[in-house]
Amino acid sequence: AAGTGRAQRVRRAGLVAGTAVGLAVVLVFAVTTHRFLTWTNVKAIFNSASLVGIMALGLTFITLVGGVASLAVAQTAVVAAMVFLGMLGLGLVPALVLAIAVGAAITAIQGVLIGAWNANPVILTIGAGFLIDGFAQDVNSGKIVQPAGGGFSTLNATPAGIPVAVYVMVLLALVLQYVLRRTVLGRYVFLVGTNRAAARAAGVPVARVVIAAFALAGVGFATGGAFLGAFNAGASTYLEGTLTFDVIAAVLVGGTSVAGGHGSTLRTLGGALVIAAISDLLLLRGFGTGAQVLFKGLLVTIVVIATQARMRREAP
């Protein structure tokens, strides 16, 4: 027992030392990189993090409830963007409401299959992604959906020099954190994510909790999709890119456990900002897109390994 305790202390000290060294290296690069620590660049980092951050806040609920991740984030966001732009003739608010409703419904259906039928979340969302993508291309014949009205420019506004998307990201993080920490649904999400069988035995309506978590995730995907469509003044499947993996990376770098039951939307917000800041730092240092993607992959791998190691130490 003494040997085990000593080994745990050594591993903990090694993790703390490694984290400190990593932070020190990043800090040195930040201080010595021209224009990185300017207010203009800080605003650029927040702006860069906003769209991915909004979607990642939604994905946090799927991960927390034990769903690992959704691989249909980008497809859902693009469909929501298409609905938003196509419905702008009805007005900005109705178009937003319809887009968010579509995103929530698409994702909630996946939650039904996962929560009620215990479908594998990774396999199911891969299939859902293909279905959504195919439907979007078929309905619109692969063309770019153009705005049916001019209201989308409101989403591109910059009050006090800061994009509206940044305000929405921060506000959504606070609201969803309140849901997680102060509501029955939030407590159930943690219970189901920690031990689904125990939660079911305790009388928690597991299927409904999973469906609600997926629906909230869909709200985040669709909200980010609306901003994505507004920013590009058009929407098509070409916008998907690496969006799904960027969103997953933000959640995992924020420290939310892939096993479920541990994490928060505020951590996800931090994860999105960390990834945006490091990408910005690499860009200012002259590194290309390939190096940024490589570093994000390395960062996610390290964080996942560290998180799993911490969970093993804390396990009874």
Side-chain angles (χ1 to χ4, degrees):
T4 301
R6 191 180 307 111
Q8 289 180 343
R9 287 194 295 273
V10 169
R11 286 196 297 269
R12 189 179 297 111
L15 180 61
V16 171
T19 303
V21 170
L23 290 174
V25 170
V26 172
L27 183 60
V28 168
F29 273 98
V31 171
T32 59
T33 299
H34 181 57
R35 292 187 295 114
F36 182 76
L37 296 178
T38 62
W39 174 236
T40 299
N41 193 57
V42 169
K43 289 192 293 184
I45 290 171
F46 271 84
N47 186 30
S48 176
S50 59
L51 297 188
V52 167
I54 289 170
M55 297 181 206
L57 292 170
L59 183 63
T60 303
F61 277 79
I62 290 179
T63 307
L64 282 175
V65 85
V68 185
S70 169
L71 294 176
V73 176
Q75 295 89 335
T76 305
V78 166
V79 166
M82 290 177 172
V83 172
F84 170 67
L85 294 176
M87 295 293 106
L88 274 173
L90 301 175
L92 175 63
V93 174
L96 268 174
V97 170
L98 285 171
I100 291 173
V102 167
I106 288 173
T107 315
I109 290 171
Q110 298 165 53
V112 171
L113 299 176
I114 292 167
W117 292 357
N118 292 319
N120 183 293
V122 174
I123 301 300
L124 179 71
T125 56
I126 288 175
F130 279 115
L131 286 172
I132 297 166
D133 213 0
F135 179 78
Q137 292 191 43
D138 185 63
V139 168
N140 206 48
S141 302
K143 298 178 182 178
I144 297 175
V145 176
Q146 301 290 339
F152 73 93
S153 59
T154 301
L155 300 189
N156 293 328
T158 55
I162 299 174
V164 170
V166 174
Y167 292 105
V168 171
M169 176 181 68
V170 174
L171 178 61
L172 190 61
L174 294 174
V175 170
L176 293 180
Q177 182 68 5
Y178 177 85
V179 171
L180 281 175
R181 298 297 180 183
R182 301 293 182 181
T183 67
V184 173
L185 173 61
R187 290 193 291 273
Y188 281 175
V189 164
F190 283 111
L191 284 172
V192 173
T194 301
N195 191 321
R196 188 166 296 191
R200 187 175 285 111
V204 175
V206 172
R208 281 185 286 173
V209 172
V210 172
I211 294 168
F214 271 75
L216 283 171
V219 170
F221 302 162
T223 302
F227 278 100
L228 182 67
F231 179 77
N232 289 279
S236 74
T237 54
Y238 294 108
L239 292 179
E240 292 172 9
T242 62
L243 186 57
T244 292
F245 300 105
D246 290 340
V247 171
I248 294 173
V251 174
L252 297 182
V253 169
T256 296
S257 171
V258 291
H262 298 275
S264 74
T265 56
L266 295 183
R267 289 184 184 181
T268 295
L269 176 60
L273 291 172
V274 165
I275 289 178
I278 291 175
S279 295
D280 180 79
L281 183 61
L282 291 173
L283 183 64
L284 291 176
R285 283 277 178 173
F287 290 93
T289 303
Q292 296 176 40
V293 173
L294 176 64
F295 192 88
K296 279 190 283 189
L298 179 62
L299 184 59
V300 168
T301 302
I302 292 172
V303 168
V304 169
I305 291 173
T307 301
Q308 291 303 108
R310 176 180 57 79
M311 288 179 61
R312 286 197 184 95
R313 289 197 307 271
E314 293 175 351

